[in-house]
């Protein structure tokens, strides 16, 4: 293999090389890291973040960005948790609310996320507000709404707990037994990833998304209704954040108005590390999955071997900068 082919191979597979090197480095330092339980824990911790990152990937591929993702996750976590507490819990959010089917609050929370995304899409596509500013505004508004809801009587900003077992089972239940069991939340994340892969690669919306991100003016000239597609894309992303919020509440068995704080930055970073171009038009579902797992590995693996959380932040920051620099060099010639 000559030098050029080696460079091409490294360029095309850099993300996977980084993943393997990370695992090897941590395993050499602490061999106990390589185990089925470790893999299971990493997948569980990655599940909701995968769904959030997939939502953010929709936006990034259109050359946009979404700073509201984390706050929408927190909002929908609070909404679902507030309506799914056990009947005899002493601090029920809605003391007189009858027990409803578990799917109903979940659906309400996902619709709330979808509406947040829909508003983002309308503001960006119809009012022509830059995505960074539009979603920054939505982020602040959603957090304010969530805090008002969370502060309602009789809850008064107390953490929401006492969630029903049929709800928490979604986040902590599993198929099988022992260390080889498969958590429901992992299966849900993989199912969502499969659906998003189909949308990206096999639908007209997916093709339009890449066209808009690659060159918006050319997309308009070719007859693509950019505004309508952007509204659809932001709404889908919002629904994914809503689902992630529901799963986060189910996984942790509670919710507060601070859930999801800064999740959007982790999601954007995971997408960029996973090969989603910051200039739009490029990105794959497998790349996003690997990007999320790399960040979970950094958090989990470095904690596993006793590295200070402060050093972890520095390492994450360096990886993000390196990924963006690599991305800019890789794709600048194509723009």
């Amino acid at each position: 293999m000559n030098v050029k082919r080696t460079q091409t191979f490294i360029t095309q597979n850099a993300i996977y090389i980084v993943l393997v090197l990370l695992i090897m480095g941590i395993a050499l330092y602490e061999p106990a890291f390589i185990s089925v339980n470790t893999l299971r824990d990493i997948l569980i911790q990655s599940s909701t973040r995968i769904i959030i990152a997939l939502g953010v990937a929709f936006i990034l591929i259109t050359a946009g960005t979404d700073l509201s993702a984390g706050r929408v996750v927190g909002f929908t976590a609070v909404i679902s948790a507030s309506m799914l507490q056990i009947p005899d819990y002493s601090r029920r959010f809605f003391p007189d609310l009858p027990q409803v089917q578990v799917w109903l609050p979940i659906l309400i929370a996902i619709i709330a996320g979808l509406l947040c995304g829909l508003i983002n899409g309308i503001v960006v596509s119809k009012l022509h507000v830059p995505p960074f500013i539009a979603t920054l505004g939505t982020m602040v508004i959603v957090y304010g709404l969530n805090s008002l809801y969370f502060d309602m009587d009789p809850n008064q900003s107390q953490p929401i707990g006492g969630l029903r077992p049929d709800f928490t089972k979604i986040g902590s239940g599993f198929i099988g037994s022992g260390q080889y069991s498969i958590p429901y939340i992992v299966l849900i994340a993989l199912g969502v990833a499969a659906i998003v892969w189909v949308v990206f690669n096999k639908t007209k919306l997916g093709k339009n998304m890449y066209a808009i991100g690659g060159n918006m003016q050319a997309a308009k000239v070719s007859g693509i209704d950019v505004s309508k597609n952007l509204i659809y894309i932001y709404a889908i992303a919002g629904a994914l954040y809503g689902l992630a919020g529901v799963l986060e509440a189910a996984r942790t068995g509670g919710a507060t108005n601070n859930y999801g704080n800064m999740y959007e930055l982790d999601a954007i970073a995971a997408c960029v590390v996973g090969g989603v171009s910051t200039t739009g038009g490029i990105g794959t579902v497998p790349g996003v999955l690997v990007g999320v797992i790399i960040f979970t590995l950094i958090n989990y693996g470095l904690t596993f071997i006793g590295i200070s959380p402060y050093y972890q932040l520095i390492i994450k920051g360096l990886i993000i900068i390196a990924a963006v620099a690599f991305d800019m060099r890789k794709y600048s010639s194509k723009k």
Side-chain angles (χ1 to χ4, degrees):
M1 186 179 289
N2 57 35
V3 174
K4 188 175 181 180
R5 289 179 64 186
T6 302
Q7 289 176 339
T8 303
F9 177 81
I10 293 174
T11 300
Q12 296 299 325
N13 299 281
I15 183 68
Y16 303 103
I17 294 171
V18 170
L19 179 60
V20 172
L21 290 176
L22 263 175
I23 294 173
M24 288 176 62
I26 296 171
L28 284 173
Y29 188 87
E30 180 53 73
F33 180 75
I34 302 298
S35 71
V36 174
N37 285 334
T38 300
L39 174 63
R40 191 170 180 272
D41 289 344
I42 289 173
L43 290 177
I44 291 173
Q45 291 184 24
S46 298
S47 296
T48 53
R49 293 176 184 270
I50 283 174
I51 296 171
I52 300 167
L54 289 171
V56 170
F58 271 97
I59 311 300
L60 291 179
I61 291 173
T62 65
T65 191
D66 193 346
L67 299 181
S68 67
R71 290 306 183 185
V72 175
V73 168
F75 189 32
T76 55
V78 168
I79 289 174
S80 57
S82 67
M83 291 185 279
L84 285 166
Q85 292 174 292
I86 55 179
D88 57 351
Y89 187 63
S90 59
R91 295 190 60 86
R92 295 194 74 198
F93 197 95
F94 295 111
D96 300 323
L97 181 71
Q99 183 158 314
V100 297
Q101 294 291 323
V102 70
W103 59 266
L104 182 58
I106 291 175
L107 181 61
I108 292 172
I110 293 174
I111 290 174
L114 185 147
L115 290 175
C116 293
L118 187 67
I119 292 170
N120 278 334
I122 291 172
V123 172
V124 169
S125 65
K126 298 296 185 184
L127 303 182
H128 305 294
V129 177
F132 181 89
I133 302 299
T135 57
L136 175 64
T138 309
M139 177 184 77
V140 177
I141 292 169
V142 169
Y143 181 58
L145 289 173
N146 191 15
S147 297
L148 287 171
Y149 181 73
F150 190 62
D151 194 41
M152 286 170 48
D153 288 331
N155 192 61
Q156 296 183 328
S157 297
Q158 296 299 310
I160 301 173
L163 303 188
R164 287 166 38 184
D166 56 347
F167 178 54
T168 56
K169 187 178 180 181
I170 297 172
S172 58
F174 49 83
I175 294 174
S177 61
Q179 63 179 355
Y180 296 105
S181 59
I182 304 175
Y184 293 143
I185 195 169
V186 173
L187 293 175
I188 294 170
L190 291 177
V192 170
I195 294 170
V196 171
W197 184 89
V198 171
V199 174
F200 277 19
N201 297 283
K202 302 294 181 183
T203 67
K204 185 178 179 181
L205 179 65
K207 291 181 174 63
N208 291 346
M209 176 182 70
Y210 283 106
I212 292 169
N215 189 323
M216 187 176 292
Q217 293 306 317
K220 288 179 179 176
V221 171
S222 65
I224 295 174
D225 189 335
V226 173
S227 293
K228 185 173 76 174
N229 280 276
L230 282 178
I231 290 173
Y232 287 162
I233 288 167
Y234 276 88
I236 292 171
L240 290 175
Y241 307 150
L243 174 61
V246 169
L247 294 176
E248 195 69 0
R251 183 180 70 85
T252 59
T256 74
N257 61 332
N258 285 318
Y259 266 40
N261 185 30
M262 305 293 283
Y263 279 19
E264 66 279 355
L265 297 185
D266 284 347
I268 292 171
C271 286
V272 172
V273 169
V276 179
S277 175
T278 53
T279 53
I282 296 169
T284 66
V285 170
V288 173
L289 299 185
V290 175
V292 173
I293 290 174
I294 282 180
F295 272 90
T296 307
L297 264 174
I298 292 171
N299 290 329
Y300 189 95
L302 297 185
T303 301
F304 193 86
I305 61 178
I307 300 295
S308 162
Y310 304 125
Y311 284 113
Q312 293 181 33
L313 291 173
I314 294 171
I315 293 171
K316 286 171 67 175
L318 289 173
I319 290 176
I320 293 168
I321 293 171
V324 174
F326 181 77
D327 172 75
M328 298 302 291
R329 287 175 58 85
K330 186 177 178 182
Y331 299 117
S332 60
S333 62
K334 297 181 180 180
K335 297 294 179 181

